[in-house]
């Protein structure tokens, strides 16, 4: 048994900090009324990948409930709260609910605002309480998430370690209470056949109405299990087979003879809270009453546990609390059910919340050590500024909070299937164009999950869905998924992700000119930069690489070697019309052909272990494909530069006549150099174009205050002041651009750009809901966005990809 010296937690200097309960004078607001804007009160989420998560804000309230896969509920539940009682020998007694939010229960005393500091460095966060209590009190909260971990990172567990230090010369009695409302059964869509409608921005959304407040049959049990004690929140099982939203939750702590533990097994969270507060505020105790009576229809119930300790002068003690939930089923379309990944380790019965408590109380110290062992080499890197370290880890929040799904393992998917939403507004999984930059974090830290996503795309490419639907952008009709087209996304929570792809209907993504290239480049990237049996991974993807590049080549209408853009928005900037050969898509095409050649050469040198993956015409068929790609490249290379170069940078496209400086014009060149492929363009041209982008899109766009706009004239002004995407600063595109700058030897410029965008996020109430886009008038669009994890690409270029 390890012996630990109890000290106050050392909070990393680089953690994001905010005075507890301090509001924002003028936080950014949403650009379109139809987009989500919950306000600025977001903190680091708690819970594992795909297990559902719960968010606790810098006010101290629990307000984010992503417990139904892919769906969003933002609402404070006042009964879900920590409270503290303190009595100083010979002095005053005081008690507070540890939130500054006004919605506390009427009898409870809320904690004063700005008396302490909230800090966050995902997956850890801290509350330091100062200036009110005599006790020095810190709550450290986390979930067991660290690099290349595929077990604990899936657990639906949050740990809260309260460390209390008595700095006075008097004895202090301290009690910490955790109360929780029994919400089992709430987190499933009450609308079993939700209507899909098109919003004012042209994107589809479906109705979602959680069974909020449906507590009929819920009951609480007081558990005393050796040194573990707590409340287990159950529900009278309404179905023979467990369904979505059903299962258990638990709150618990550890007992030992040096402290007192109290409980109240059932109380009314819709009253004034006096059942709990009167005894707790008097002496830090609870009535010690058990009551397992199930809730009647319309009734709400909650439970409470409290731990009371005595602190002698100079003494420090730690009190652990655990929150766990076992909601094993995720339902997508009605009847399409998946078990969550954590059920591979805790079972699928929905009765294992207490097993999770046991596991957490046994291993939480080791988990913290694992997190620190992962984070510390980066935190100790003196060459990285603190603001960068802060954003680097905190931007990973989306892997927990982004409506994440992670299914149980199967023979075909040994780590399960994984997906993160593009964002909460655009609720479909793993948008491929967005993850071209946004997947760097997943690839570098959980490489098997990244490869599982790309494998899902490889499986989807040969599939087709000829069902006609209306395209939101122009009201035209188009089929959902063309055979051999790379899908835009892996589907949505209201259908069948991984099987029904291309959910978005804002554009006809079968016409997009970047998706095929994005797929090929990410496949080769993961082959080069991740560990494992990557030859087999390439073999599994190869037929789809061949099929989708051939599909894209069909858009080369004049057979000049480069597919043309159609004049409709047909790439990731999906409000931006490109015509003819474009700098953005053309460079990606050239890089993808080079990657295809390298993949083919690798496969010839490494025949598959699985005979089913080997083509009948191996290796002659692959050799022939490589020769075809070389022929296309010969045409494309001669055409690209001569057609688009204007003496300083590459034109937007060949037919629109636009003089816009496009920020991401050479994404393909960045990827080519990243993957060790031949340059798309010669170095001097790439350097000139990048410097022009930095000057026009960043420095001259509102004097470099916001970041790089997607596309402006050379003097930083708008081509059209009514433009949408060109005048937005896209956070993930900016981080991708910064990674390219580092690659090109412009490290100082890259860090200046990155710091500007990070400042816009974390100084304007956008933390833990990073948007796709911000504007120069203090608005944002599409919060909780996938592409912002591209900041890990900047880190990779600065420090290496291991």
């Amino acid at each position: 048994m390890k012996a630990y010296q109890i000290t106050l937690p050392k909070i990393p200097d680089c953690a994001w900090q905010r005075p507890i309960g301090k509001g924002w004078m003028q936080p950014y607001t949403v650009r379109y009324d139809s987009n989500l804007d919950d306000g600025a009160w977001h903190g680091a989420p708690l819970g594992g990948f795909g297990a559902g998560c719960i968010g606790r804000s810098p006010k101290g309230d629990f307000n984010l409930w992503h417990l139904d896969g892919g769906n969003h509920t933002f609402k404070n539940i006042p009964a879900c709260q920590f409270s503290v009682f303190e009595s100083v020998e010979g002095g005053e007694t005081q008690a507070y609910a540890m939130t500054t939010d006004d919605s506390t229960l009427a009898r409870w005393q809320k904690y004063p605002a700005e008396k302490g500091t909230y800090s966050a460095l995902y997956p850890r966060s801290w509350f330091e309480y100062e200036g009110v209590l005599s006790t020095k009190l810190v709550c450290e909260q986390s979930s067991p998430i660290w690099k290349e971990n595929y077990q604990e990172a899936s657990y639906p567990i949050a740990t809260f370690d309260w460390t209390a230090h008595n700095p006075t010369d008097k004895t202090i009695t301290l009690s910490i209470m955790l109360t929780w409302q029994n919400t089992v059964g709430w987190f499933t869509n009450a609308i079993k056949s939700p209507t899909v409608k098109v919003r004012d921005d042209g994107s589809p959304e479906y109705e979602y109405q959680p069974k909020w407040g449906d507590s009929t049959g819920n009951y609480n049990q007081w558990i005393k299990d050796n040194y573990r004690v707590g409340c287990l929140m159950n529900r009278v099982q309404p179905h023979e087979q467990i369904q979505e939203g059903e299962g258990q939750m638990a709150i618990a702590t550890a007992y030992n003879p040096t402290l007192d533990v109290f409980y109240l097994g059932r109380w009314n969270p819709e009253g004034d809270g006096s059942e709990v507060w009167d005894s707790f505020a008097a002496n830090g105790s609870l009535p010690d009453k058990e009551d397992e009576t199930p809730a009647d229809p319309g009734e709400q119930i909650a439970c409470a546990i409290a731990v009371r300790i005595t602190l002698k002068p100079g003494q420090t003690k730690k009190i652990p609390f655990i929150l766990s939930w076992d909601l094993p089923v995720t339902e997508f379309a009605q009847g399409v059910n998946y078990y969550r990944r954590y059920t591979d380790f805790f079972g699928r019965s929905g009765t294992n919340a207490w097993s999770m408590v046991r596991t957490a109380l046994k291993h939480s110290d080791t988990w913290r050590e694992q997190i620190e062992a992962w984070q510390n080499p980066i935190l100790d890197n003196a060459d990285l500024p603190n603001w960068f370290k802060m954003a680097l880890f905190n931007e990973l929040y989306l892997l927990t909070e982004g409506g994440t799904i992670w299914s149980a393992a199967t023979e075909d998917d040994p780590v399960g299937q994984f997906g993160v939403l593009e964002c909460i507004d655009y609720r479909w999984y793993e948008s491929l164009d967005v993850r071209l930059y946004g997947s760097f974090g997943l690839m570098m830290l959980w490489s098997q999950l990244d490869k599982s996503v790309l494998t899902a795309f490889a499986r989807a490419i040969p599939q087709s869905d000829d069902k006609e639907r209306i395209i939101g952008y122009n009201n035209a009709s188009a089929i959902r998924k063309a055979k051999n087209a790379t899908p835009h996304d892996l589907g949505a929570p209201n259908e069948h992700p991984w099987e029904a792809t291309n959910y978005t209907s804002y554009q006809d993504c079968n016409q997009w000119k970047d998706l095929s290239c994005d797929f090929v480049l990410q496949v080769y990237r993961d082959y080069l930069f991740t560990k494992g049996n990557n030859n087999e991974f390439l073999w599994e993807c190869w037929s789809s690489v061949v099929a989708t590049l051939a599909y894209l080549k069909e858009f080369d209408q004049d057979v000049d070697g480069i597919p043309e853009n159609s004049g409709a928005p047909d790439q990731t900037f999906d409000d931006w019309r490109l015509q003819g050969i474009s700098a953005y898509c053309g460079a990606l095409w050239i890089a993808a052909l080079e990657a295809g050649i390298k993949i083919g050469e690798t496969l010839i040198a490494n025949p598959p272990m699985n005979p089913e993956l080997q083509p009948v015409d191996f290796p002659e068929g692959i050799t022939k494909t490589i020769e075809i790609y070389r022929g296309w490249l010969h045409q494309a290379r001669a055409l690209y530069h001569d057609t688009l170069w204007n003496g300083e940078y590459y034109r937007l496209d060949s037919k629109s006549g636009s003089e816009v400086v496009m920020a991401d014009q050479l994404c393909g060149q960045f990827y080519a150099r990243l993957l060790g492929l031949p340059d798309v363009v010669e170095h001097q041209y790439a350097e000139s174009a990048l410097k022009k982008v930095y000057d026009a899109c960043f420095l001259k766009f509102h004097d470099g205050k916001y970041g790089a706009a997607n596309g402006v004239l050379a003097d930083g002004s708008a081509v059209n002041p009514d433009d949408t995407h060109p005048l937005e600063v896209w956070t993930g595109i900016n981080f991708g651009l910064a990674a390219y700058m580092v690659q090109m030897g412009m490290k100082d410029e890259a860090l200046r750009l990155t710091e500007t965008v990070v400042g816009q996020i974390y100084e304007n109430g956008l933390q833990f809901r990073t948007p796709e886009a911000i504007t120069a008038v203090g608005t944002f669009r599409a919060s909780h966005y996938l592409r912002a994890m591209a900041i890990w690409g900047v880190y990779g270029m600065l420090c290496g990809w291991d």
Side-chain angles (χ1 to χ4, degrees), residues 503-516:
Y503 183 81
T504 181
S505 59
Y506 176 52
Q507 298 287 0
D508 178 8
C509 293
N510 296 301
Q511 305 293 316
W512 278 25
K513 308 309 185 297
D514 53 352
L515 293 173
S516 299

Side-chain angles (χ1 to χ4, degrees), residues 291-308:
D291 187 343
E292 298 184 14
T293 305
D296 291 328
E299 186 181 17
Q300 301 298 322
I301 62 171
C303 55
I305 55 175
V307 177
R308 188 172 65 189

Side-chain angles (χ1 to χ4, degrees), residues 524 527-528 534-536 538-539 542 594-608 618 622 626:
Y524 190 52
Y527 168 78
L528 291 178
N534 285 343
N535 289 327
E536 291 297 298
L538 283 189
W539 273 110
W542 173 246
E594 294 284 8
I597 290 170
K598 287 293 186 182
I599 293 171
E601 292 173 342
T602 301
L603 297 180
I604 290 174
N606 297 276
F618 178 80
I622 297 179
I626 290 173

Side-chain angles (χ1 to χ4, degrees), residues 18-27 40-41 58-59 100 113-114 765:
R18 184 89 182 164
I20 295 172
K22 182 178 180 179
W24 282 259
M25 291 293 293
Q26 197 170 2
W41 292 108
K59 289 191 289 189
T100 63
E114 301 187 41

Side-chain angles (χ1 to χ4, degrees), residues 699-717:
L699 296 182
K700 289 180 178 174
F701 180 71
H702 293 274
D703 298 319
K705 180 180 177 182
Y706 298 98
N710 283 327
V712 293
L713 296 174
D715 63 358
S717 64

